[in-house]
Amino acid sequence: MTLWTTLAAKAEAAKDTSIVGLFDDADRAKNFSARFGSLLFDYSKTTLQADTLEALIALAEEADLVGRRKAMFGGEKINETEGRAVLHTALRRSDVGVYVDGEDVMPGVHATLDRIETFANEVRSGAFTGQGGSITDVVNIGIGGSDLGPVMACQALASYSDGPRVHFVSNVDGAHIAQVMRGLDLTRTLVIVASKTFTTIETMTNAQTARDMMAEVVDDPAVQFAAVSTSAEKTAEFGIAAERVFGFEDWVGGRYSMWGPIGLPIMLAVGPANFREFLAGAEAMDTHFQETPLRSNLPVLLALVGMWHHQFCGHTTRAVLPYDQQLARLPAYLQQLEMESNGKGVAMDGSSLETVSGPVVWGEPGTNGQHAFYQLIHQGTAVIPCEFMVAAEGNEMGRSRHHQLLAANCLAQSQALMLGRSLETAREMMAAKGLEGDELERQARHRVFPGNRPSTTLVYPKLTPHLFGQIVALYEHRVFVEGVILGINSFDQWGVELGKELAIKLEPVLTGESDAPQDGSTEALVAFLQDALR
């Protein structure tokens, strides 16, 4: 019997396991939690038991997680479909050499970090100005990995922001750039165009629009542009001076890139010192991931719990629920991180995947989500594992009551998912309200909570740049562990290509410049859109 079949059998048996009953073991919360620094990961409110966890760890060992981890940090080309190393971790290393094709990449990493730090200081201090004075606003134009990470980080670290206001444009919908640029003093606005190749259609369309808007109010719009790109030729054609162009290597994937030049808007917002703390936090998690035994390793445990729920228990979605308004964009960031990385149907060797791949990831910050979708989580027919996170202290001084209420709601929701409410208790509640007979029974049934629904909780003292870096790196490594066990490449994203290729072909069809035949449905949709414009 393989470990996969063993775990599948354990999952079938776990359907009858009472999570509450597992707490008959007074040490369960201690034995099914792990710490790193000031982080506590509690996974005791799940059906996992000691033998199941050991089987999951054995599964990771069988997949050679330790060897694959060493290969990644060592600069080996583990992104096999693209022939690339995977070294976003190098962007946050402080002093250890990392070699790719025999060359130490760290001098270049540090030199680039120094360059963006120098530029950030010039902008923040007023040494670099727009044509109307010091920079008051920054507009970052990017999409995907060039947008989601910086957007999330700037919001997460808003309490530490003391630089220019930072705004983000990603959608090619003209409403997005119009809404962002409207009301800004463009003579005092810096525009950052973030596109590795400087060819991403959405980004470059928005960049040209921003340039045209800037040209209406300044003599030389390109003076107030910077770029994060590896294409010196194309950035020069756009008019951006070389000293304001910051590149990164092909061993940094887009969704893993905010630790380097893509993080320029973060550095502009919070300053170089806080940005370096952000890097240091991630580096600390990297060290923990590399050096800690699997049984106590936070990224490994987070991955194994997730795989237990999805691959073995069959729960198809995962709700990420940060009780921290500053982490409002974390669920969207993790959607990309998880679903673009592990949403695959083909194993590394090109064979069809023999198990389900990554889950659907979604969520909202608490307590907003409680008034939106928690009805489904508590009383719906599908079990949705929930991943809560909460700080002991908020970042807003003088708002302790707010935070106590927030934390109480977080703990209460995870408790309610586990405990539920029985029909007997619901009947007693309705009887106390004076109901009886069939109406009592009907109303009682609506107030039953099945309970026994799993959740985990990540707890931390306060969201600081260092702690935030740890959290993001924790989830990055979780995705890596899952990919290794599944036997897939977590670092390519071919699934995004086909739609982009077809969009390029369809644009001239929509404008009437081409009458290339389409499928019947698409032809009908094109005809409707064209008729609506007549």
Side-chain angles (χ1 to χ4, degrees):
M1 182 179 289
T2 69
L3 285 168
W4 284 92
T5 55
T6 297
L7 283 160
K10 289 181 180 296
E12 183 64 27
K15 291 179 180 179
D16 298 321
T17 298
S18 164
I19 297 174
V20 172
L22 295 175
F23 283 89
D24 289 343
D25 175 5
D27 292 326
R28 178 164 178 83
K30 175 184 176 182
N31 292 337
F32 288 81
S33 63
R35 292 176 179 266
F36 167 62
S38 57
L39 283 172
L40 170 67
F41 175 56
D42 181 295
Y43 57 100
S44 60
K45 294 191 187 77
T46 69
T47 56
L48 277 172
Q49 299 187 58
D51 60 338
T52 309
L53 183 58
E54 291 308 316
L56 287 164
I57 291 171
L59 189 67
E61 292 172 337
E62 182 179 75
D64 191 26
L65 173 60
V66 172
R68 297 293 291 176
R69 181 180 64 191
K70 182 178 180 182
M72 179 177 72
F73 280 96
E76 295 183 30
K77 295 179 180 179
I78 66 168
N79 179 353
E80 296 180 10
T81 60
E82 296 181 295
R84 297 174 180 173
V86 175
L87 279 176
H88 52 281
T89 55
L91 299 179
R92 56 221 193 195
R93 285 198 183 182
S94 54
D95 58 4
V96 180
V98 181
Y99 293 83
V100 177
D101 294 328
E103 180 182 352
D104 186 357
V105 303
M106 292 311 300
V109 167
H110 291 148
T112 300
L113 181 59
D114 289 343
R115 282 189 66 222
I116 63 172
E117 182 171 319
T118 297
F119 181 62
N121 280 329
E122 289 174 352
V123 173
R124 286 166 54 86
S125 68
F128 175 90
T129 65
Q131 290 160 78
S134 59
I135 297 297
T136 58
D137 294 89
V138 175
V139 176
N140 186 85
I141 298 177
I143 197 166
S146 300
D147 172 76
L148 273 170
V151 169
M152 174 193 65
C154 283
Q155 182 165 349
L157 302 178
S159 298
Y160 296 86
S161 181
D162 59 359
R165 295 182 294 267
V166 180
H167 316 269
F168 294 87
V169 174
S170 56
N171 200 334
V172 76
D173 187 334
H176 198 186
I177 191 166
Q179 290 166 2
V180 169
M181 301 289 272
R182 187 179 297 131
L184 300 184
D185 180 352
L186 296 185
T187 70
R188 303 179 67 183
T189 297
L190 169 69
V191 178
I192 303 170
V193 183
S195 171
K196 180 182 281 191
T197 61
F198 228 62
T199 59
T200 308
I201 187 67
E202 300 96 332
T203 299
M204 298 317 301
T205 300
N206 281 324
Q208 187 59 55
T209 297
R211 183 189 167 103
D212 293 343
M213 295 172 73
M214 188 80 77
E216 295 176 4
V217 296
V218 300
D219 295 330
D220 186 357
V223 169
Q224 288 173 224
F225 275 72
V228 180
S229 175
T230 57
S231 179
E233 180 181 351
K234 287 183 169 27
T235 54
E237 288 175 4
F238 196 86
I240 303 175
E243 63 267 22
R244 298 194 304 279
V245 177
F246 308 94
F248 55 100
E249 302 297 332
D250 66 2
W251 34 258
V252 179
R255 57 192 175 277
Y256 297 91
S257 62
M258 67 174 160
W259 312 101
I262 289 293
L264 175 58
I266 309 170
M267 187 183 286
L268 287 166
V270 304
N274 282 321
F275 188 82
R276 286 185 180 268
E277 274 297 300
F278 171 55
L279 299 183
E283 184 181 28
M285 182 57 71
D286 293 342
T287 301
H288 167 75
F289 179 48
Q290 291 180 87
E291 297 180 355
T292 306
L294 303 188
R295 182 62 179 78
S296 321
N297 193 303
L298 262 64
V300 173
L301 291 171
L302 189 60
L304 295 180
V305 173
M307 294 193 72
W308 168 246
H309 289 148
H310 182 51
Q311 271 73 25
F312 298 105
C313 296
H315 307 318
T316 57
T317 80
R318 173 189 299 156
V320 178
L321 308 169
Y323 276 66
D324 195 323
Q325 183 61 29
Q326 295 187 129
L327 293 177
R329 292 296 291 169
L330 179 65
Y333 173 79
L334 295 181
Q335 276 184 346
Q336 185 197 32
L337 183 65
E338 179 86 42
M339 295 169 69
E340 193 167 83
S341 297
N342 289 346
K344 310 289 172 63
V346 177
M348 193 79 83
D349 62 5
S351 63
S352 296
L353 205 62
E354 295 182 358
T355 184
V356 293
S357 54
V360 175
V361 177
W362 57 284
E364 277 287 320
T367 57
N368 290 22
Q370 293 176 199
H371 297 267
F373 52 75
Y374 277 44
Q375 170 66 46
L376 178 71
I377 289 175
H378 281 289
Q379 290 187 311
T381 55
V383 174
I384 301 170
C386 295
E387 297 184 355
F388 295 95
M389 55 182 68
V390 67
E393 179 185 2
N395 286 87
E396 295 299 319
M397 299 294 291
R399 299 287 186 269
S400 60
R401 171 80 206 298
H402 284 259
H403 195 77
Q404 288 167 2
L405 187 58
L406 181 75
N409 270 273
C410 178
L411 300 184
Q413 290 297 328
S414 67
Q415 187 179 46
L417 283 167
M418 177 179 68
L419 297 178
R421 178 190 289 153
S422 68
L423 179 58
E424 181 181 358
T425 299
R427 285 177 180 142
E428 292 173 358
M429 290 172 58
M430 293 301 98
K433 292 180 178 291
L435 298 184
E436 56 185 29
D438 290 345
E439 182 62 10
L440 182 152
E441 188 69 15
R442 183 175 75 87
Q443 292 287 355
R445 290 185 63 81
H446 283 285
R447 289 158 174 79
V448 171
F449 288 69
N452 210 44
R453 301 198 165 187
S455 69
T456 64
T457 307
L458 184 70
V459 191
Y460 47 94
K462 185 177 180 179
L463 192 65
T464 63
H466 192 276
L467 196 285
F468 177 60
Q470 290 184 359
I471 290 175
V472 177
L474 166 66
Y475 276 91
E476 285 181 346
H477 295 320
R478 180 243 195 107
V479 168
F480 170 75
V481 173
E482 291 172 341
V484 168
I485 295 174
L486 290 170
I488 61 179
N489 182 2
S490 299
F491 301 103
D492 61 14
Q493 57 280 331
W494 300 111
V496 306
E497 297 299 322
L498 179 58
K500 291 163 63 174
E501 294 169 6
L502 294 177
I504 293 171
K505 295 177 181 178
L506 270 168
E507 185 182 7
V509 175
L510 283 167
T511 60
E513 299 171 49
S514 169
D515 59 357
Q518 308 294 324
D519 64 89
S521 172
T522 303
E523 285 184 354
L525 294 170
V526 167
F528 181 90
L529 291 172
Q530 290 174 332
D531 288 345
L533 293 173
R534 291 192 178 104

